């Protein structure tokens, strides 16, 4: 969600790459394409909500956490993620989500309390475990900017396709002016589509330029090779003296 209020949602799950400088990967690249104009309008400020376990319903996750409290109350939360997450949720990410939670019930026993990552399941209130399930299904992270210039895959905007003959990529307004690649208002999602746009539009425009150049050269050659008919000069007829 951008600061302007616009919301965009990925229509299907996609991988996220967590780097030392921020988030990347197919999901982020696709969302940045779908929301390009809204992101630019908000100066790349907003909130990104991540579903860290898209194959598990929030209700089932809540139930699993409550069962951990009931039957594994002496286990530490940070050491034992739910079984449905243990195979694909990295330990450091699990600890990060836990660190963002409110203090568990054990915090009432001391002024400082304990972070949820160090707490026992049996010490956690049911409401805290439900909030944890909600965070796993909707982890909100701030969007505070974009990557450095020239690291983009493609930029949005450009020449309106309605102003271009798509068979030749020639401008409809200016004869002999061609457009190809990123100057056109075409930006596809990651997966090679932008390369294909560049290759195809470049091929079409180049083919038409080559055909037009060849036709012009042939016409010039034909003119040069055409025989020139010389007309006889008029003969002056002098009068007798």
């Amino acid at each position: 969600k951008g600061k302007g209020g616009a919301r965009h949602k990925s229509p299907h799950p996609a991988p996220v790459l967590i780097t030392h400088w921020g988030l990347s990967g197919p999901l982020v690249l696709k969302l940045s394409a779908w929301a390009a104009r809204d992101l630019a309008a908000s100066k790349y400020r907003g909130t990104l909500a991540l579903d860290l376990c898209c194959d598990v319903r929030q209700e089932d996750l809540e139930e699993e956490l409550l069962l951990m409290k009931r039957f594994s109350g002496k286990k530490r939360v940070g050491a034992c993620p739910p079984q449905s997450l243990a195979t694909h949720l990295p330990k450091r990410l699990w600890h990060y989500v836990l660190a963002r939670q409110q203090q568990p019930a054990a915090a009432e026993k001391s002024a400082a309390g304990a972070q949820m990552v160090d707490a026992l399941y049996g010490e956690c209130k049911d409401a805290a475990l439900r909030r944890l399930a909600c965070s796993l299904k909707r982890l909100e992270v701030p969007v505070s900017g974009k990557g450095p210039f020239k690291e983009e895959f493609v930029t949005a905007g450009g020449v309106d396709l309605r102003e271009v003959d798509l068979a030749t990529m020639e401008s409809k307004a200016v004869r002999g002016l061609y457009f190809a690649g990123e100057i056109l208002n075409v930006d596809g999602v990651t997966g090679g589509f932008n390369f294909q746009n560049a290759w195809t539009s470049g091929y079409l425009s180049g083919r038409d330029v080559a055909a037009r150049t060849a036709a012009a050269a042939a016409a010039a050659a034909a003119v040069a090779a055409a025989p020139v008919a010389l007309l006889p000069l008029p003969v002056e007829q002098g009068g007798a003296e």
Side-chain angles (χ1 to χ4, degrees):
K1 177 182 177 180
K3 283 199 169 183
R7 294 174 179 268
H8 295 270
K9 182 179 179 181
S10 174
H12 51 77
V16 174
L17 179 62
I18 302 175
T19 73
H20 64 284
W21 52 263
L23 297 177
S24 185
L27 176 64
V28 173
L29 294 175
K30 289 179 179 180
L31 280 176
S32 67
W34 294 324
R37 289 169 176 80
D38 290 324
L39 283 170
S42 66
K43 300 186 183 300
Y44 297 91
R45 296 293 187 272
T47 303
L48 179 64
L50 298 174
D51 186 345
L52 300 180
C53 43
C54 54
D55 295 330
V56 184
R57 296 188 312 159
Q58 183 172 331
E59 295 80 1
D60 295 336
L61 193 55
E62 289 180 4
E63 182 179 357
E64 188 173 0
L65 288 169
L66 293 173
L67 288 174
M68 291 285 289
K69 175 182 177 179
R70 180 178 178 184
F71 296 106
S72 304
K74 295 186 179 297
K75 291 185 177 180
R76 294 199 176 277
V77 180
C80 300
Q83 190 62 34
S84 58
L85 305 180
T87 57
H88 68 271
L89 191 68
K91 184 177 180 180
R92 290 178 62 184
L93 181 56
W94 171 241
H95 284 184
Y96 171 78
V97 176
L98 293 176
R100 292 184 52 168
Q101 305 306 304
Q102 295 182 4
Q103 301 287 3
E108 300 172 359
K109 299 179 182 179
S110 65
Q115 293 293 333
M116 197 170 193
V117 67
D118 297 319
L120 303 179
Y121 271 100
E123 297 173 335
C124 299
K125 290 184 177 180
D126 291 359
L129 294 175
R130 290 191 175 94
R131 285 195 298 270
L132 175 57
C134 181
S135 293
L136 289 166
K137 292 296 292 180
R138 186 181 175 83
L139 180 66
E140 294 190 349
V141 293
V143 177
S144 58
K146 62 175 182 175
F149 177 64
K150 292 189 177 180
E151 287 191 4
E152 305 94 339
F153 280 71
V154 67
T155 54
V159 177
D160 194 323
L161 296 181
R162 292 172 295 184
E163 300 178 5
V164 179
D165 181 351
L166 297 181
T168 63
M169 308 311 298
E170 184 181 19
S171 169
K172 293 180 180 179
V174 181
R175 182 172 174 78
L177 177 62
Y178 293 82
F179 302 105
E182 204 166 337
I183 197 171
L184 295 165
N185 186 22
V186 176
D187 57 285
V189 296
T190 181
F193 300 104
N194 297 299
F195 282 128
Q196 188 63 60
N197 167 56
W199 295 330
T200 301
S201 58
Y203 169 78
L204 291 173
S205 58
R207 183 180 65 177
D208 195 66
V209 169
R212 183 170 293 180
T213 302
V223 170
V228 178
L230 298 177
L231 298 176
L233 293 175
V235 178
E236 293 184 2
Q237 296 181 0
E241 292 183 1

